[in-house]
Amino acid sequence: MELRKFAAVLAIASALVFTACGSTPTGDKSARNGDSLYKEQKYTEALDSYFEAQEKGLNAYREEKLYAGIAACYCQLGEYEKSIEYYNKSLEIEPANFEAWVNLGVAYRKTGDRDKAMESYQKALEYDPENNASVPLYTSLGSIYIELDKPMSAISYLERAREFYPEKADIHAYLAIAYKMAFEPAKSTEALEKAKALGYPKIDAIQEQLNKLD
């Protein structure tokens, strides 16, 4: 009798273990497939895979990475509001993600929200001021401040970009405008000449902007 009871308990325990194993989330494969599809520029298909992963549940694949992948797909498809929603979800989980802050800034700028774009770029720089991607970030902030007619702020960011990458032509082109706006004509001329020497392709457009500031 005791042996039969033990066998029954063992059978129940085995069934519970089987059930638990069977309930392990299985969405990781779908999420990784979404990554592959994104690299192939199949953004709609990638979204399908990411949402399938979300529905199945994740095991080792990180949730913040999944949200960032969804956001990136929406950004590529021009659905910037949805992109912003999912980048924010990703950043709620992992707020120190430099790339996510940068991409969130790009999405905000696409919607015309320059203030939010600047906040996002500045957040990225707070977490990682010397990331390899920080040079275009400093340049982007500089160009936004030029648009906002704040040349001193523009100069601050553009000079920082120049420290990292002195041979980047567009930095000098933007500096030529910012210096001119800040009533520093000698520095403006020097920056313009440097942009020319480095082969900046839109030098005529920069010169036209400078002429308007005379």
Side-chain angles (χ1 to χ4, degrees):
M1 179 68 71
E2 291 299 322
L3 186 59
R4 284 199 298 272
K5 285 183 179 178
F6 177 75
V9 170
L10 184 62
I12 292 169
S14 298
L16 289 171
V17 169
F18 178 80
T19 302
C21 290
S23 66
T24 300
T26 58
D28 287 17
K29 183 177 179 181
S30 297
R32 287 192 290 270
N33 186 50
D35 293 340
S36 298
L37 289 165
Y38 181 86
K39 289 177 183 175
E40 294 171 13
Q41 300 181 8
K42 298 177 180 178
Y43 305 120
T44 301
E45 293 93 331
L47 272 177
D48 290 339
S49 286
Y50 286 138
F51 283 124
E52 181 180 276
Q54 188 177 32
E55 184 177 340
K56 289 180 177 179
L58 302 174
N59 187 15
Y61 196 97
R62 301 191 311 277
E63 188 177 25
E64 66 271 23
K65 184 179 178 184
L66 181 71
Y67 286 144
I70 293 170
C73 288
Y74 277 131
C75 197
Q76 292 290 346
L77 292 168
E79 297 187 49
Y80 302 117
E81 295 292 348
K82 288 183 179 178
S83 178
I84 288 166
E85 176 188 346
Y86 279 94
Y87 275 129
N88 277 316
K89 284 185 176 184
S90 178
L91 287 163
E92 283 176 13
I93 301 169
E94 180 48 70
N97 188 330
F98 175 91
E99 186 176 349
W101 280 114
V102 173
N103 291 333
L104 177 61
V106 170
Y108 274 127
R109 199 167 183 186
K110 291 288 187 179
T111 66
D113 193 336
R114 291 182 298 191
D115 290 338
K116 286 287 188 182
M118 285 193 296
E119 285 178 22
S120 300
Y121 291 154
Q122 287 161 347
K123 270 288 187 185
L125 292 174
E126 282 178 26
Y127 285 113
D128 197 349
E130 297 188 12
N131 188 290
N132 288 337
S134 64
V135 173
L137 199 54
Y138 285 114
T139 307
S140 293
L141 282 164
S143 69
I144 291 173
Y145 277 116
I146 287 173
E147 292 171 12
L148 294 173
D149 197 22
K150 295 182 177 180
M152 299 312 297
S153 295
I155 289 167
S156 175
Y157 281 107
L158 291 167
E159 287 183 344
R160 183 69 168 146
R162 187 177 60 189
E163 287 177 23
F164 286 114
Y165 202 164
E167 300 305 306
K168 201 166 189 309
D170 61 337
I171 296 171
H172 297 280
Y174 285 128
L175 272 170
I177 296 170
Y179 283 138
K180 190 69 174 283
M181 292 171 69
F183 303 104
E184 297 190 60
K187 285 186 176 182
S188 176
T189 300
E190 183 181 353
L192 182 65
E193 291 304 314
K194 184 68 174 178
K196 284 180 184 177
L198 292 170
Y200 185 70
K202 299 178 182 178
I203 204 71
D204 290 341
I206 297 297
Q207 185 65 69
E208 187 178 337
Q209 285 185 259
L210 293 173
N211 291 341
K212 290 177 180 177
L213 293 170
D214 286 335

